[in-house]
């Protein structure tokens, strides 16, 4: 939430008097003014316990937008900790996914990424046996990587898949 720009932008985009915009950052440089209807907490994206408590305190969520760190383990940590706090039918958006192919963020190039995570689940997703119902991947330019997941509305039934 560098200087709150992302949170402020989402506040305007999703404007609804009843909407709550919440976020966290490991070192927030900006905190909302009273009446901004935005909540910012200090916490790390790699701290699963913090994220779980954040989800309990502020969830369940209609939309989660991961605009945090760009390291593959950060994407997966947030997904593991906060997915249970996403409402059925809710959307999970991960911005800047192209960073997983940049050695600046994925130094060894060998860390498990959100793309690997999806690859392990494709068959289950396609036959309706996964909590993920829909997947969209959007990329136009080098810095436009966006992955959007939609959580299944109905309870999914784990199915045996022939290998």
């Amino acid at each position: 939430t560098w200087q709150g720009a992302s949170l402020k932008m989402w506040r305007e985009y999703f404007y609804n008097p009843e909407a709550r915009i919440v976020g966290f950052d490991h070192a927030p440089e900006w905190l909302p003014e009273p009446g901004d209807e935005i909540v910012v907490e200090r916490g790390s994206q790699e701290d699963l316990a913090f994220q779980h408590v954040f989800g309990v305190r502020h969830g369940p969520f209609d939309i989660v937008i991961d605009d945090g760190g760009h390291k593959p383990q950060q994407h997966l940590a947030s997904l593991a900790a906060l997915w249970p706090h996403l409402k059925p039918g809710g959307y999970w958006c991960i911005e800047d996914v192209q960073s997983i192919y940049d050695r600046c963020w994925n130094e060894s190039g060998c860390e498990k990424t959100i793309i690997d995570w999806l690859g392990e689940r494709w068959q289950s997703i396609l036959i309706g046996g996964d909590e993920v119902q829909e997947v969209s991947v959007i990329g136009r330019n080098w810095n436009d990587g966006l992955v959007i997941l939609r959580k299944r509305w109905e309870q999914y039934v784990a199915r045996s898949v022939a290998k």
Side-chain angles (χ1 to χ4, degrees):
T1 67
W2 187 74
Q3 295 183 347
S6 181
L7 289 173
K8 291 175 190 176
M9 187 265 307
W10 291 121
R11 180 74 195 131
E12 288 179 23
Y13 184 81
F14 291 117
Y15 184 75
N16 177 324
E18 297 179 25
R20 291 181 310 121
I21 306 292
V22 297
F24 64 87
D25 195 312
H26 70 283
E29 298 174 6
W30 168 85
L31 293 174
E33 299 290 325
D36 276 346
E37 300 177 18
I38 297 174
V39 174
V40 178
E41 291 191 20
R42 180 182 302 267
S44 171
Q45 191 173 11
E46 294 179 39
D47 184 341
L48 294 170
F50 163 77
Q51 289 192 76
H52 173 70
V53 170
F54 182 86
V56 168
R57 185 171 25 251
H58 298 290
F61 304 110
D62 294 304
I63 300 171
V64 172
I65 300 171
D66 178 347
D67 187 19
H70 300 329
K71 295 181 179 179
Q73 71 269 23
Q74 293 169 318
H75 296 154
L76 295 172
S78 289
L79 192 60
L82 292 175
W83 180 267
H85 302 285
L86 183 65
K87 290 179 182 177
Y91 290 92
W92 188 278
C93 307
I94 305 172
E95 296 184 342
D96 304 317
V97 176
Q98 79 289 341
S99 63
I100 64 178
Y101 302 110
D102 185 333
R103 294 230 187 252
C104 176
W105 303 106
N106 188 354
E107 294 173 9
S108 70
C110 296
E111 292 183 46
K112 182 177 177 179
T113 69
I114 186 65
I115 303 303
D116 298 322
W117 182 87
L118 284 168
E120 294 167 359
R121 304 171 82 110
W122 275 126
Q123 192 172 24
S124 182
I125 292 169
L126 289 171
I127 64 168
D130 196 276
E131 280 188 290
V132 176
Q133 180 173 332
E134 298 173 27
V135 178
S136 298
V137 178
I138 301 167
R140 289 188 323 224
N141 299 312
W142 175 242
N143 63 346
D144 284 345
L146 177 65
V147 171
I148 303 170
L149 309 175
R150 186 161 191 201
K151 192 171 192 176
R152 185 168 299 285
W153 277 99
E154 69 276 359
Q155 179 66 31
Y156 70 99
V157 177
R159 297 182 178 137
S160 170
V161 178
K163 294 191 181 206

